[in-house]
Amino acid sequence: MAFIYYVTQIQFEHGAIRLLKQECERIGIGRPLVITDPGVKAAGLLQRALDALPGMAVAVFDQTPSNPTEAAVRAATSAFHANQCDGLIAVGGGSAIDCAKGVAIAARHEGPLKTYATIEGGSALITDRALPLIAVPTTSGTGSEVARGAILILDDHRKLGFHSWHIVPRAAICDPELTLGLPPRLTAATGMDAVAHCMETFMSAAFNPPADGIALDGLERAWNHIERATIDGNDREARLNLMSASMQGAMAFQKGLGCVHSLSHSLGGVDPRLHHGTLNAVFLPAVLAFNAQAESVRQDRRLERMARVMGLAGASDIGPAITDMNARLGLPPGLASMGVASAQFDRIILGAMADHCHKTNPRVATADDYRAMLDQAM
């Protein structure tokens, strides 16, 4: 049986940050903990959020790492309790939002965080006691502001997913102005994350026609605007469309993702210095080639339909077009240039096969299949 659910309240427009206090009042948050990272603070975006909360007692945790960890969740949870907060506001990219989702779980649920990880059978243990959260994205990539999942690196170094409708943000403030001037490399990497979300969820075999439509439209927006946004950080139209594509990818991926993400999650746990969106961009061509033989992809002409919205002649052009786009955006040509070595493959494959996204790829990947994809992505 298909389960189709949409999703949360979204405020989407240039200048939407002004509605932050209104959303706190609607949800019943009176003493928020704002969770962010040093880069967002240095860029002045944290202050813009604080300025939108006049008269409120606000605490701040600004030490989210680029790949959020269980240690960061513990520190932010301590800050939440120490300041007697009653809700969360995440201001940042997927790292800050996912860290906040970790706090939403940890602050109101007993036991170690791994208890609630999806592959540990923990999703059903996350209850409506989870803290209320408002998400304010400052990048256009993960779409975590409208997603039921979070990706966190645990103390045992596994990079695991946590999934529950109880940790979907109660409101998403999508303000493209907050992404103006985002550095080109970060724009490109996060934008390719959105492209990967739209592509992978569209290829998933699960039945969810609304998600398919949202993903295809999101792919068209992302593909047509990512280069513009990367070249000109102040292109307001490009920024709006890229933020919409990011949101749409996450609205759609309730269908499930696939091997791109199982590989990038695993490798991100092996080497947390590597950027998730960049890894997705590098893995996409190899996984697309693997998925081209999946029965559901062939029957529904999934690749041809993606090629059409990307303005390409046919399915066989998608992989080369992504490789060319990565080069134009200044992203790495392969894993080797990012410092990945073949000696790490066994660990990466082990993690990929245990990842929650492994099961929703349209074609089941074996260890040998993953090794071939890693070789191709080098």
Side-chain angles (χ1 to χ4, degrees):
M1 182 181 73
F3 181 74
I4 300 170
Y5 180 77
Y6 287 94
V7 166
T8 191
Q9 181 159 309
I10 303 165
Q11 301 283 3
F12 195 116
E13 65 174 326
H14 288 287
I17 189 67
R18 71 182 186 280
L19 302 174
L20 185 53
K21 185 176 182 181
Q22 167 190 306
E23 290 302 298
C24 284
E25 292 170 346
R26 178 182 67 83
I27 293 165
I29 297 175
R31 297 179 62 88
L33 173 68
V34 177
I35 296 178
T36 189
D37 63 58
V40 170
K41 181 179 181 180
L45 300 178
L46 169 62
Q47 191 58 52
R48 290 184 65 176
L50 297 177
D51 290 345
L53 298 168
M56 295 187 72
V58 181
V60 173
F61 175 81
D62 60 8
Q63 294 301 308
T64 304
S66 57
N67 281 292
T69 62
E70 185 173 0
V73 169
R74 273 197 303 273
T77 301
S78 294
F80 176 86
H81 290 306
N83 290 281
Q84 298 181 313
C85 298
D86 60 4
L88 305 169
I89 299 172
V91 181
S95 297
I97 299 173
D98 283 6
C99 184
K101 290 177 179 178
V103 176
I105 299 168
R108 291 289 184 264
H109 294 76
E110 300 298 325
L113 199 56
K114 68 179 182 181
T115 305
Y116 304 96
T118 301
I119 67 168
E120 299 285 351
S123 293
L125 301 178
I126 302 172
T127 71
D128 60 4
R129 296 178 63 235
L131 294 174
L133 166 63
I134 297 173
V136 184
T138 60
T139 63
S140 297
T142 70
S144 190
E145 68 273 8
V146 295
R148 72 187 190 280
I151 305 296
L152 301 166
I153 299 178
L154 301 191
D155 291 340
D156 61 12
H157 306 296
R158 290 183 298 167
K159 191 171 187 177
L160 300 186
F162 296 76
H163 296 83
S164 170
W165 297 109
H166 295 302
I167 60 172
V168 176
R170 306 284 182 87
I173 307 288
C174 294
D175 184 347
E177 288 184 3
L178 301 181
T179 68
L180 295 177
L182 196 70
R185 184 68 172 265
L186 189 56
T187 299
T190 55
M192 287 304 296
D193 192 16
V195 168
H197 289 159
C198 292
M199 284 187 162
E200 280 217 287
T201 198
F202 186 69
M203 287 186 289
S204 170
F207 182 80
N208 191 327
D212 287 341
I214 291 168
L216 268 187
D217 182 81
L219 174 59
E220 183 173 17
R221 290 176 188 275
W223 191 255
N224 288 331
H225 293 91
I226 186 171
E227 193 168 9
R228 279 176 52 183
T230 300
I231 292 170
D232 180 1
N234 291 302
D235 185 327
R236 292 172 64 86
E237 180 185 13
R239 291 293 183 183
L240 182 144
N241 278 280
L242 205 55
M243 179 165 276
S244 182
S246 173
M247 175 191 72
Q248 289 173 248
M251 290 175 71
F253 68 45
Q254 61 179 264
K255 273 186 71 181
L257 293 167
C259 291
V260 170
H261 278 76
S262 55
L263 284 166
S264 62
H265 289 158
S266 179
L267 181 47
V270 171
D271 187 348
R273 298 172 302 169
L274 300 177
H275 188 273
H276 174 71
T278 303
L279 290 175
N280 285 345
V282 171
F283 282 130
L284 261 172
V287 175
L288 281 162
F290 176 74
N291 284 348
Q293 302 305 314
E295 183 178 355
S296 61
V297 170
R298 296 172 67 183
Q299 284 184 345
D300 294 338
R301 299 182 63 80
R302 297 274 166 173
L303 297 185
E304 288 83 357
R305 292 160 70 186
M306 289 194 296
R308 191 178 309 124
V309 302
M310 295 167 73
L312 303 174
S316 62
D317 296 318
I318 299 177
I322 291 171
T323 300
D324 290 345
M325 178 66 82
N326 288 343
R328 295 202 304 275
L329 296 176
L331 294 174
L335 298 176
S337 65
M338 301 168 69
V340 179
S342 58
Q344 297 171 300
F345 282 7
D346 287 345
R347 288 181 63 198
I348 298 167
I349 292 167
L350 185 65
M353 294 193 72
D355 189 79
H356 62 278
C357 294
H358 168 73
K359 297 178 180 179
T360 51
N361 196 70
R363 181 183 176 195
V364 177
T366 66
D368 287 342
D369 291 327
Y370 275 125
R371 191 174 302 277
M373 286 184 255
L374 285 162
D375 281 329
Q376 186 177 337
M378 285 295 280

